[in-house]
Amino acid sequence: MIRFDQVSKRYPEGREALSRVNFDIPAGDMVFLTGKSGAGKSTLLKLIIVMERASQGQVFVQGTNLNRLARRNIPAIRRDIGVVFQNHQLLFDRTVFENVALPLTIAGYQPREVGRRVRAALAKVGLGDKEKQLPIALSGGEQQRVGIARAVVNKPSLLLADEPTGNLDPGLSAEIMNLFEQFNQVGVTVLIASHDLALINRMNRRQLLLHEGRLLEDRPPATLVATDLRGGL
Amino acid sequence: MAMAGKRPPRRPNLQAATRVVNKADGAGGASTSKRSLGDQWRAYLANHRRVARESLQGLFKVWLASAMTWLVIGIAMALPTMLYLILSNASTLSGDWDGKPRISIYLQESVSEADGRGFAQQLLADELVVAVDYVSPSAALAEFTQRSGFGDVLRSLDRNPLPAVITIEPGVSQTGQLKPLVARLEAEAMIASVSFDLAWMERLFAILDLAERFVTALGGFLALGVLLVIGNTIRLAIENRRAEIEVVKLVGGTDSFVRRPFLYLGFWYGLGGALMAWVLVGASLVFLSAPIEMLLASYQGDFLVIGLSGGESLLLLLLGSGLGILGAALAVGRHLRQIEPS
Ligand SMILES: Nc1ncnc2c1ncn2[C@@H]1O[C@H](COP(=O)(O)OP(=O)(O)OP(=O)(O)O)[C@@H](O)[C@H]1O
Ligand SMILES: [Mg+2]
């Protein structure tokens, strides 16, 4: 599903944000991307949705080499990827319904189909009764969930999230992680960048640990359980 | 693509909502490709209709600002349109004249009709003369009575005041080449006077031609102005919707999808402006046509000021909406590419 092959990214002004990163995420996997602030997590996600291009190496998403992707083909790639980004959230002059409907409108769905899918997605994130509200009238956690509904409404095969639990209380964070887990259970590949280590460790999933742009560790879930057990003894 | 073994794609014990989300198609598939072309086409048209409607509604929501823009565009378009109308009316006025010069020779009163006709035939021998037309005093009187409406006045005179006239159609049209002919004619004893109407006609046509070029140039400048006004208005609209554009691009909106609302906005600005111009021109005509017609009636019988025809009105509207779309396209081309999610 996602393959990084010796990927480096250097921003025009600044040092290397990623250096020689290698990994392969098979379809249907759920993976956490961790690391300190500035480690390169957001950069890595941006490479996947072609908000940035790799300086060196190759990025493959669903077999497509993104380095060779023409500008005009970027939208098609993005339509099959759901993204939950903290700073590209909601349009505050549109209702919750319209916000969530956006990817469907773009993909060209009939209004009836749009209505059906948006309601299903909102029900999924527990906001079935808020579709007519403006996002400004929602709490931070609810806004975050609207963002998630928008990310999944087009049933993407890949779901990316950058700090989806950024400023939520622990209870809400767990709830949102639970949502991602449910999407993964129906076959969606999920990649979440987060530095909420306590939460991630509880999830028992594969972890990619970035440190200053390098992939320091690629831990499969089982190892993690073993470590935790050892720690518990 | 191979699924990772660990978890099956679906499990039966999911919440009901999950099942609703995934009922139509398997999780993750690129659902776009599963819909028929007809459906996609209908959805595409529906999107056009919606965007067109929403952008117009948006304009009416801020109706005062929109009306100002429409008025600016309307004035810029009304000006050359008015001048164009003045010109086309002027051409109608001078339209009786076919552009060839005429020399009119007024004969002495003493010349008999037979001598006059004979003289006309002689003139034909001149290589510069293509055709001659002899009009006797009585024929001239009949024509004048019919054309001018001064019949009663003329009838009250005890004799016909009009001379016999020979009209010459020369074979050349340059004033310079005709001068010798005119001089020769003026020397003839039979002739009272020679009127050579080419010079002022030539001047009139030269002036009309100049005015036409002037209107074209002015129209060009003002069209450029309209483009800039619309381009700038669209640029501001793009700037105002920056966040929205970023999100749309982030969730996979194509360039044409992002562009569409702004092109429609430009279309509405242009069309509204052209409508405004149409109204302004119409109102000016109502205001001006009565005095103009009165003025011209004192010279030459009936004259009706001609307004824009249906075709010309349509052309004006097409021109306006075309300029609107073009202005928007230019602005969008310049600014939309710079807005990328980051
Ligand atoms: N647009 C940019 N231009 C220049 N440098 C950038 C840009 N974006 C990120 N960087 C740099 O790249 C490095 C990695 O940034 P990145 O945003 O990927 O980190 P992160 O792991 O997401 O951090 P955080 O947890 O704080 O979000 C940082 O040193 C950052 O300063
Ligand atoms: Mg980040």
Side-chain angles (χ1 to χ4, degrees):
Chain A
M1 175 61 85
I2 305 172
R3 189 156 68 84
F4 273 51
D5 187 7
Q6 295 288 330
V7 175
S8 299
K9 171 67 188 177
R10 184 189 294 279
Y11 285 104
E13 68 287 353
R15 53 183 186 80
E16 241 175 16
L18 289 177
S19 30
R20 302 183 155 271
V21 173
N22 285 303
F23 66 86
D24 189 349
I25 298 177
D29 225 356
M30 179 161 176
V31 177
F32 284 98
L33 188 59
T34 68
K36 288 202 198 81
S37 179
K41 305 183 291 295
S42 300
T43 302
L44 193 150
L45 294 183
K46 283 177 182 173
L47 288 177
I48 298 173
I49 51 169
V50 211
M51 275 165 71
E52 297 289 350
R53 301 264 194 172
S55 316
Q56 266 163 42
Q58 325 257 312
V59 179
F60 296 90
V61 172
Q62 303 200 47
T64 306
N65 186 340
L66 299 188
N67 292 34
R68 301 222 191 89
L69 194 68
R71 214 190 89 89
R72 70 191 147 81
N73 292 327
I74 294 175
I77 292 280
R78 288 184 183 161
R79 251 172 276 156
D80 201 26
I81 303 178
V83 286
V84 185
F85 271 12
Q86 259 190 324
N87 57 339
H88 278 291
Q89 282 299 357
L90 308 173
L91 302 174
F92 284 90
D93 56 344
R94 305 291 179 98
T95 62
V96 166
F97 181 96
E98 287 168 334
N99 268 284
V100 176
L102 191 62
L104 298 179
T105 315
I106 287 168
Y109 281 87
Q110 295 280 357
R112 200 157 29 87
E113 180 73 0
V114 170
R116 200 177 65 74
R117 289 196 182 214
V118 169
R119 286 191 189 97
L122 281 174
K124 182 81 194 90
V125 298
L127 292 174
D129 53 341
K130 305 258 161 136
E131 62 171 71
K132 293 208 175 65
Q133 304 222 11
L134 290 176
I136 204 82
L138 303 181
S139 74
E142 286 169 333
Q143 288 182 10
Q144 192 76 325
R145 281 184 279 161
V146 174
I148 294 172
R150 187 185 67 197
V152 300
V153 73
N154 198 19
K155 286 172 219 157
S157 42
L158 175 60
L159 185 57
L160 303 180
D162 197 359
E163 308 286 358
T165 59
N167 37 26
L168 303 180
D169 63 62
L172 210 51
S173 301
E175 232 175 78
I176 282 182
M177 284 302 172
N178 191 25
L179 265 177
F180 284 124
E181 212 156 30
Q182 286 175 26
F183 290 119
N184 176 243
Q185 280 164 353
V186 294
V188 180
T189 311
V190 180
L191 177 58
I192 300 168
S194 172
H195 46 217
D196 189 347
L197 285 174
L199 187 64
I200 294 170
N201 285 336
R202 267 207 306 282
M203 304 287 292
N204 186 25
R205 297 286 189 159
R206 180 178 167 194
Q207 288 180 24
L208 299 175
L209 176 61
L210 282 175
H211 181 71
E212 291 179 355
R214 293 176 185 283
L215 186 58
L216 209 63
E217 220 182 319
D218 185 346
R219 278 191 281 185
T223 334
L224 197 72
V225 173
T227 325
D228 279 2
L229 283 175
R230 244 181 282 124
L233 286 170
Chain B
M1 77 189 83
M3 290 287 177
K6 228 168 51 254
R7 284 174 193 280
R10 285 187 202 226
R11 291 200 328 203
N13 62 338
L14 292 172
Q15 284 176 6
T18 320
R19 257 178 265 127
V20 175
V21 172
N22 294 286
K23 198 167 65 185
D25 34 354
S31 34
T32 327
S33 59
K34 284 181 187 141
R35 287 166 307 119
S36 74
L37 270 178
D39 269 1
Q40 289 189 43
W41 174 243
R42 270 189 294 282
Y44 174 77
L45 290 184
N47 179 258
H48 266 276
R49 273 197 301 276
R50 212 197 55 174
V51 171
R53 177 166 36 81
E54 280 177 0
S55 52
L56 186 61
Q57 282 167 347
L59 283 178
F60 280 117
K61 219 178 270 174
V62 288
W63 64 272
L64 196 64
S66 308
M68 292 299 239
T69 311
W70 278 326
L71 197 61
V72 169
I73 298 167
I75 290 170
M77 290 188 75
L79 212 61
T81 310
M82 274 308 285
L83 290 175
Y84 164 79
L85 273 183
I86 290 172
L87 273 185
S88 73
N89 276 292
S91 315
T92 320
L93 262 181
S94 55
D96 307 338
W97 198 62
D98 58 11
K100 286 190 207 123
R102 290 279 188 283
I103 300 173
S104 301
I105 302 168
Y106 300 94
L107 299 180
Q108 300 281 9
E109 247 176 274
S110 55
V111 178
S112 73
E113 180 159 349
D115 287 349
R117 287 191 189 278
F119 180 64
Q121 285 309 308
Q122 274 178 35
L123 285 176
L124 262 183
D126 194 304
E127 58 177 10
L128 284 175
V129 177
V130 172
V132 292
D133 181 29
Y134 175 85
V135 181
S136 69
S138 51
L141 179 65
E143 192 183 326
F144 185 74
T145 308
Q146 196 209 340
R147 275 184 141 211
S148 70
F150 286 117
D152 293 342
V153 182
L154 288 172
R155 259 191 299 280
S156 70
L157 297 173
D158 52 357
R159 61 182 194 90
N160 181 358
L162 297 177
V165 183
I166 298 174
T167 312
I168 295 179
E169 184 185 317
V172 291
S173 58
Q174 266 79 43
T175 323
Q177 286 172 285
L178 288 175
K179 287 234 166 83
L181 176 64
V182 174
R184 232 177 307 139
L185 290 170
E186 276 169 341
E188 289 277 348
M190 255 191 244
I191 293 174
S193 71
V194 178
S195 124
F196 177 43
D197 57 6
L198 181 67
W200 74 268
M201 274 305 203
E202 243 181 7
R203 263 177 232 135
L204 176 66
F205 272 74
I207 289 169
L208 281 182
D209 184 52
L210 189 70
E212 219 169 273
R213 279 161 198 257
F214 174 74
V215 170
T216 310
L218 187 78
F221 282 132
L222 288 168
L224 202 65
V226 169
L227 273 186
L228 290 179
V229 167
I230 292 177
N232 197 47
T233 314
I234 298 294
R235 186 182 62 78
L236 290 175
I238 291 172
E239 213 42 61
N240 280 336
R241 294 172 69 175
R242 197 183 187 93
E244 181 178 346
I245 293 168
E246 285 187 8
V247 170
V248 167
K249 284 194 172 182
L250 191 69
V251 297
T254 55
D255 282 353
S256 66
F257 184 90
V258 176
R259 215 181 288 134
R260 199 167 299 145
F262 299 106
L263 294 186
Y264 270 105
L265 204 58
F267 170 78
W268 291 125
Y269 276 129
L271 185 66
L275 269 175
M276 198 69 96
W278 191 81
V279 170
L280 287 174
V281 167
S284 316
L285 278 186
V286 169
F287 182 65
L288 288 176
S289 64
I292 289 178
E293 280 164 15
M294 223 144 77
L295 179 71
L296 287 171
S298 67
Y299 280 95
Q300 188 207 351
D302 299 331
F303 178 77
L304 274 179
V305 173
I306 312 160
L308 288 175
S309 68
E312 285 164 338
S313 305
L314 194 68
L315 193 68
L316 180 69
L317 297 185
L318 282 178
L319 209 68
S321 16
L323 280 177
I325 295 174
L326 186 64
L330 291 176
V332 161
R334 268 179 54 86
H335 301 286
L336 229 43
R337 208 170 257 260
Q338 296 160 5
I339 303 179
E340 284 291 338
S342 58

